[in-house]
Amino acid sequence: MLHVPTIKPFDTEGVAEFAAGVDRLVTAQNHVLHGGLTTLVTDTLYRASVVRPLRSVGIPDRFIECGSLPYLQTRYGLTAESVAETTRHWLGDAA
């Protein structure tokens, strides 16, 4: 696991190095997928010529309803349990 606490500054070297050592990647972010962590990761991997399957968990690029943080996390699969289950399911597909 690689923890990326900020997107500015973005650790392109660390992300590329980590990605080169794994078979698949999952990004999980508590904001819109487009223009955030997933975009930075894919751009970094492209520039480093690292090709890996990538699954992204985050908020879709559309208007979303308002609600409490727990409600929105549950609605968009952003709870720790949901992210772990998505990751386990996807990694299980590789076996």
Side-chain angles (χ1 to χ4, degrees), residues 1 14-25 45 50-52:
M1 178 192 296
V15 169
E17 183 178 318
F18 176 81
V22 298
D23 294 329
R24 290 180 176 201
L25 297 165
L45 299 183
V50 176
V51 179
R52 297 290 182 271

Side-chain angles (χ1 to χ4, degrees), residues 55-86:
R55 174 70 48 98
S56 299
V57 179
I59 298 172
D61 188 21
R62 62 179 176 86
F63 289 107
I64 61 168
E65 64 273 22
C66 294
S68 67
L69 185 56
Y71 168 78
L72 294 173
Q73 288 174 327
T74 300
R75 171 88 168 98
Y76 293 103
L78 298 173
T79 64
E81 296 82 15
S82 295
V83 172
E85 179 58 30
T86 296

